[in-house]
Short mmCIF file of all heavy atoms in Angstrom, two decimals:
data_model
loop_
_atom_site.label_atom_id
_atom_site.label_comp_id
_atom_site.label_asym_id
_atom_site.label_seq_id
_atom_site.Cartn_x
_atom_site.Cartn_y
_atom_site.Cartn_z
N TRP V 172 -46.52 29.17 -10.36
CA TRP V 172 -45.73 28.14 -11.05
C TRP V 172 -46.29 27.81 -12.43
O TRP V 172 -45.56 27.68 -13.41
CB TRP V 172 -45.68 26.90 -10.16
CG TRP V 172 -44.88 25.75 -10.67
CD1 TRP V 172 -43.57 25.77 -11.08
CD2 TRP V 172 -45.32 24.40 -10.77
NE1 TRP V 172 -43.18 24.51 -11.45
CE2 TRP V 172 -44.23 23.65 -11.26
CE3 TRP V 172 -46.51 23.74 -10.48
CZ2 TRP V 172 -44.30 22.28 -11.48
CZ3 TRP V 172 -46.59 22.39 -10.69
CH2 TRP V 172 -45.51 21.66 -11.18
N LEU V 173 -47.60 27.68 -12.53
CA LEU V 173 -48.20 27.24 -13.79
C LEU V 173 -48.04 28.23 -14.92
O LEU V 173 -48.06 27.85 -16.08
CB LEU V 173 -49.71 26.97 -13.56
CG LEU V 173 -50.07 25.76 -12.71
CD1 LEU V 173 -51.57 25.72 -12.47
CD2 LEU V 173 -49.61 24.46 -13.35
N GLN V 174 -47.89 29.50 -14.59
CA GLN V 174 -47.81 30.51 -15.65
C GLN V 174 -46.58 30.36 -16.53
O GLN V 174 -46.51 30.91 -17.63
CB GLN V 174 -47.84 31.92 -15.01
CG GLN V 174 -49.12 32.21 -14.28
CD GLN V 174 -50.37 31.90 -15.09
OE1 GLN V 174 -50.49 32.33 -16.24
NE2 GLN V 174 -51.29 31.14 -14.51
N GLY V 175 -45.60 29.61 -16.06
CA GLY V 175 -44.39 29.42 -16.84
C GLY V 175 -44.49 28.31 -17.87
O GLY V 175 -43.48 28.03 -18.57
N PHE V 176 -45.64 27.69 -18.00
CA PHE V 176 -45.78 26.57 -18.94
C PHE V 176 -46.68 26.93 -20.11
O PHE V 176 -47.56 27.78 -20.01
CB PHE V 176 -46.32 25.35 -18.21
CG PHE V 176 -45.39 24.83 -17.13
CD1 PHE V 176 -45.58 25.18 -15.79
CD2 PHE V 176 -44.30 24.03 -17.46
CE1 PHE V 176 -44.75 24.72 -14.81
CE2 PHE V 176 -43.44 23.56 -16.47
CZ PHE V 176 -43.65 23.91 -15.15
N ARG V 177 -46.49 26.24 -21.21
CA ARG V 177 -47.24 26.50 -22.44
C ARG V 177 -48.72 26.13 -22.27
O ARG V 177 -49.07 25.23 -21.51
CB ARG V 177 -46.65 25.72 -23.61
CG ARG V 177 -45.25 26.21 -24.02
CD ARG V 177 -44.83 25.65 -25.36
NE ARG V 177 -44.81 24.19 -25.40
CZ ARG V 177 -45.62 23.45 -26.13
NH1 ARG V 177 -46.55 24.03 -26.88
NH2 ARG V 177 -45.53 22.13 -26.13
N SER V 178 -49.55 26.82 -23.03
CA SER V 178 -51.00 26.63 -22.94
C SER V 178 -51.54 25.66 -23.99
O SER V 178 -52.74 25.60 -24.21
CB SER V 178 -51.71 27.98 -23.08
OG SER V 178 -51.41 28.59 -24.33
N GLU V 179 -50.65 24.93 -24.64
CA GLU V 179 -51.06 23.89 -25.57
C GLU V 179 -50.30 22.61 -25.27
O GLU V 179 -49.12 22.64 -24.91
CB GLU V 179 -50.78 24.32 -27.02
CG GLU V 179 -51.58 25.52 -27.45
CD GLU V 179 -51.29 25.92 -28.89
OE1 GLU V 179 -50.35 25.32 -29.49
OE2 GLU V 179 -51.98 26.80 -29.42
N LEU V 180 -50.99 21.49 -25.41
CA LEU V 180 -50.37 20.19 -25.10
C LEU V 180 -51.04 19.11 -25.93
O LEU V 180 -52.27 18.96 -25.90
CB LEU V 180 -50.53 19.86 -23.60
CG LEU V 180 -50.03 18.47 -23.14
CD1 LEU V 180 -48.52 18.34 -23.33
CD2 LEU V 180 -50.42 18.23 -21.68
N ASP V 181 -50.26 18.38 -26.70
CA ASP V 181 -50.80 17.25 -27.45
C ASP V 181 -51.16 16.12 -26.50
O ASP V 181 -50.47 15.89 -25.50
CB ASP V 181 -49.78 16.75 -28.48
CG ASP V 181 -49.54 17.76 -29.60
OD1 ASP V 181 -50.46 18.57 -29.86
OD2 ASP V 181 -48.46 17.73 -30.19
N ALA V 182 -52.22 15.41 -26.83
CA ALA V 182 -52.63 14.29 -25.99
C ALA V 182 -51.67 13.12 -26.11
O ALA V 182 -51.16 12.82 -27.20
CB ALA V 182 -54.04 13.83 -26.38
N ALA V 183 -51.40 12.46 -24.99
CA ALA V 183 -50.60 11.24 -25.00
C ALA V 183 -51.31 10.20 -25.87
O ALA V 183 -52.53 10.11 -25.91
CB ALA V 183 -50.41 10.71 -23.59
N ASP V 184 -50.53 9.38 -26.54
CA ASP V 184 -51.06 8.36 -27.45
C ASP V 184 -51.52 7.14 -26.66
O ASP V 184 -50.98 6.05 -26.81
CB ASP V 184 -50.02 8.00 -28.50
CG ASP V 184 -50.58 7.07 -29.57
OD1 ASP V 184 -51.81 7.10 -29.81
OD2 ASP V 184 -49.80 6.31 -30.16
N THR V 185 -52.52 7.34 -25.84
CA THR V 185 -53.00 6.26 -24.99
C THR V 185 -53.96 5.35 -25.73
O THR V 185 -54.66 5.77 -26.66
CB THR V 185 -53.72 6.82 -23.74
OG1 THR V 185 -54.66 7.82 -24.16
CG2 THR V 185 -52.71 7.47 -22.79
#
Side-chain angles (χ1 to χ4, degrees):
W172 182 53
L173 291 174
Q174 297 311 309
F176 297 98
R177 293 193 302 114
S178 60
E179 296 181 352
L180 175 64
D181 292 335
D184 187 26
T185 49

